[in-house]
């Protein structure tokens, strides 16, 4: 008869330990992979946030750019059609006779930040691609927009804006459009505000003529 090996009872022990070690190694690898996936997702989320911010913000001021303004204007228009909630838009065109009519973009940035501080938190202040500024006034009809424009004009007229050659005054042209059921699209809304520029210019010319006649 063959004598049983003294190692017979332990033959399974090494075989049992190897799967346990392998499982621990697999779990460690899995945890490591999960950690890297989480880091990748977090990084991708941060990059997406930065892409979104860059797509809607002017890099010079942090204010909304034209893309975001048009998007918000479309949303406000859809909301007004659905609920009847009023809103209006004020387009702002800056000029300076002492600078040859052209206002440097650095000064436009400063004025834009000043207007953003002047506006309400629920309003949207944006810099347009052509250098104009624009404001979407939430829950404000034509009367509210006209009052905002008057206060804005007084505020800008009272400021001395510093330049390398001293402080200057800025002139401003304003175009106002208030929502009505007849406004069918964003472009029609902006056309209405741009047309108001012409009425603003006509009013200024008439005022200058009155002043000239009074002084003669």
């Amino acid at each position: 008869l063959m004598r049983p090996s003294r190692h017979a009872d332990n033959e399974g022990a090494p075989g049992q330990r190897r799967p346990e070690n392998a499982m621990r190694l697999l779990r460690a690898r899995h945890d490591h992979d999960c950690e890297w996936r989480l880091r990748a997702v977090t990084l991708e989320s941060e990059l997406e946030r930065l892409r979104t911010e860059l797509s809607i913000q002017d890099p010079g001021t942090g204010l909304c750019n034209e893309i975001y303004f048009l998007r918000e204007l479309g949303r406000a228009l859809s909301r007004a059609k659905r609920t009847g909630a009023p809103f209006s838009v004020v387009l702002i065109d800056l000029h300076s006779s002492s600078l040859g009519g052209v206002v440097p973009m650095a000064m436009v940035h400063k004025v834009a930040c000043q207007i953003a501080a002047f506006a309400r938190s629920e309003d949207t202040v944006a810099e347009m691609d052509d250098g104009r500024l624009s404001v979407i006034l939430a829950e404000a009809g034509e009367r509210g927009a006209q009052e905002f424009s008057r206060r804005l004009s007084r505020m800008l007229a009272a400021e001395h804006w510093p330049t390398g050659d001293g402080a200057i005054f800025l002139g401003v042209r304003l175009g106002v459009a208030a929502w009505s059921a007849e406004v069918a699209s964003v472009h029609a809304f902006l056309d209405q505000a741009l047309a108001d520029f012409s009425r603003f210019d006509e009013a200024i010319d008439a005022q200058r003529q009155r002043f000239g006649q009074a002084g003669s």
Side-chain angles (χ1 to χ4, degrees), residues 195-209:
D196 199 52
F197 272 136
S198 299
R199 289 190 290 272
F200 186 88
D201 292 338
E202 291 171 1
I204 293 296
D205 290 340
Q207 189 178 39
R208 285 172 179 164
Q209 289 177 6

Side-chain angles (χ1 to χ4, degrees), residues 5-208:
S5 172
R6 58 183 176 183
H7 299 295
D9 294 339
N10 297 326
E11 285 180 355
Q16 290 173 359
R17 284 196 298 270
R18 283 196 295 270
E20 289 175 359
N21 292 336
M23 288 300 296
R24 282 196 295 270
L25 181 59
L26 286 175
R27 280 196 296 268
R29 289 178 178 174
H30 178 267
D31 292 344
H32 184 266
D33 291 344
C34 287
E35 181 181 353
W36 276 104
R37 288 193 191 100
L38 181 60
R39 290 183 182 180
V41 169
T42 302
L43 179 59
E44 182 62 31
S45 299
E46 181 65 16
L47 289 174
E48 182 61 30
R49 184 186 67 80
L50 291 174
R51 281 194 294 266
T52 301
E53 285 186 359
L54 290 174
S55 69
I56 67 175
Q57 288 183 344
D58 183 276
T61 62
L63 297 177
C64 304
N65 61 19
E66 184 170 319
I67 295 174
Y68 185 76
F69 170 80
L70 294 175
R71 187 188 309 171
E72 286 300 295
L73 182 55
R75 290 174 179 172
L77 187 60
S78 298
R79 186 165 52 251
K81 289 178 179 179
R82 188 175 64 254
T83 66
F87 75 98
S88 55
V89 165
V90 179
L91 298 182
I92 304 161
D93 187 19
L94 302 171
H95 59 89
S96 172
S97 57
S98 59
L99 295 176
V102 179
V103 178
M105 285 307 299
M107 187 170 293
V108 173
H109 292 335
K110 291 180 182 179
V111 176
C113 293
Q114 190 83 354
I115 293 174
F118 176 80
R120 303 169 301 173
S121 59
E122 60 266 32
D123 299 330
T124 301
V125 180
E127 287 197 49
M128 309 298 278
D129 292 344
D130 60 2
R132 288 175 177 157
L133 305 175
S134 57
V135 184
I136 300 176
L137 299 172
E139 301 293 333
E142 184 172 2
R143 181 178 298 179
Q146 294 292 350
E147 175 60 25
F148 175 86
S149 298
R150 284 191 292 269
R151 292 190 294 111
L152 179 62
S153 296
R154 289 195 296 267
M155 185 269 288
L156 292 176
E159 290 281 351
H160 289 72
W161 301 95
T163 67
D165 299 324
I168 64 168
F169 288 103
L170 290 178
V172 60
R173 298 168 66 232
L174 299 172
V176 177
W179 177 79
S180 66
E182 290 76 25
V183 180
S185 67
V186 167
H187 293 295
F189 204 97
L190 290 177
D191 286 343
Q192 181 180 332
L194 290 171
D196 199 52
F197 272 136
S198 299
R199 289 190 290 272
F200 186 88
D201 292 338
E202 291 171 1
I204 293 296
D205 290 340
Q207 189 178 39
R208 285 172 179 164

